[in-house]
Amino acid sequence: MTQDQDAALHEDRASRSKTEWIGLIRTHEGTEIPCSVKDVSATGAKLSVSENIQLPYEFMLKVVGMDYVCAVALAWRVGNLVGVRIVKFAKLVPKRVLPADSREATDWAPHQRHGTRRYRRLD
């Protein structure tokens, strides 16, 4: 390894931030696998996943409680530790929360909604 390569490796390692985030791996088939994000950088992350779980080469990674998702590719695996390279990063659209009045209106029975009539039988 040349001095330039060694310096680049240490620079990349220095830019990593240690984390203890809860993550969720989602495969292209829709399988969701819980994981732990141990560290993260601009180009990749280190995950902790059970050794018994077989991972595909590419999958989606979502960090619980954060509004983004990453498309990642498997870089390496040693035991329960997994290194991934970030291929694409996307911000999730926040879910729209209805005001309290609107939520209550959607819980009404069909005859109670605005614009409907209730008929009473007269016998």
Side-chain angles (χ1 to χ4, degrees), residues 93-105:
V93 177
K95 291 182 181 176
R96 204 173 117 201
V97 178
L98 296 172
D101 306 85
S102 298
R103 274 196 302 261
E104 290 172 8

Side-chain angles (χ1 to χ4, degrees), residues 26-37:
R26 185 176 182 127
T27 66
H28 294 295
E29 293 81 28
T31 305
E32 293 185 336
I33 304 163
C35 69
S36 176
V37 182

Side-chain angles (χ1 to χ4, degrees), residues 25 33-36 47-51 53 55 77 79-82:
I25 293 170
I33 304 163
C35 69
S36 176
L47 312 176
S48 177
V49 182
S50 173
E51 290 180 54
I53 296 175
L55 294 175
R77 184 162 192 174
N80 68 334
L81 295 178
V82 178

Side-chain angles (χ1 to χ4, degrees), residues 103-122:
R103 274 196 302 261
E104 290 172 8
T106 60
D107 292 340
W108 291 352
H111 68 276
Q112 295 174 315
R113 292 191 185 115
H114 182 69
T116 60
R117 299 193 115 163
R118 192 177 345 170
Y119 295 96
R120 180 192 257 183
R121 279 182 69 173
L122 299 171

